Amino acid sequence: MERKQFELGDVVQMKKQHPCGSNEMEIIRMGMDIRIKCVGCKHSVLIPRAKFEKNMKKVLRSTVSADGGQAPAQTELDPI
């Protein structure tokens, strides 16, 4: 079975809904544990990577562009 591919900043669909009714989560931290933030109510949850991979259904929106490179990050410039 192929491992699911996901990156920091991706919006993923989970198998179960969050109590607010949304099942879309944004990945905001990756490591041994993964922190995801509910798109609906902005609540964040830290879960083990194995549990996240088991409960993730699919990637809805990815930060990786079609040419394989990273999408440009939003940065703020300091005024001169």
Side-chain angles (χ1 to χ4, degrees):
M1 188 168 151
E2 185 179 325
R3 287 188 71 153
K4 298 173 185 172
Q5 298 293 319
F6 50 88
E7 299 288 331
L8 188 65
D10 288 356
V11 176
V12 297
Q13 181 180 13
M14 303 301 283
K15 289 182 181 177
K16 294 185 179 180
Q17 288 186 354
H18 189 254
C20 74
S22 175
N23 62 351
E24 294 184 11
M25 301 284 190
E26 179 184 359
I27 301 172
I28 58 175
R29 179 184 178 273
M30 290 178 59
M32 284 300 294
D33 297 322
I34 295 183
R35 184 172 296 275
I36 53 177
K37 179 173 65 172
C38 178
V39 174
C41 68
K42 308 296 188 225
H43 183 259
S44 68
V45 181
L46 184 68
I47 57 175
R49 179 181 283 267
K51 187 173 181 181
F52 173 79
E53 288 177 351
K54 179 182 171 216
N55 292 333
M56 185 182 85
K57 206 173 204 179
K58 63 183 175 181
V59 176
L60 297 174
R61 295 185 293 277
S62 180
T63 57
V64 179
S65 62
D67 62 358
Q70 287 283 17
Q74 295 179 353
T75 58
E76 289 187 28
L77 298 175
D78 293 328
I80 298 177

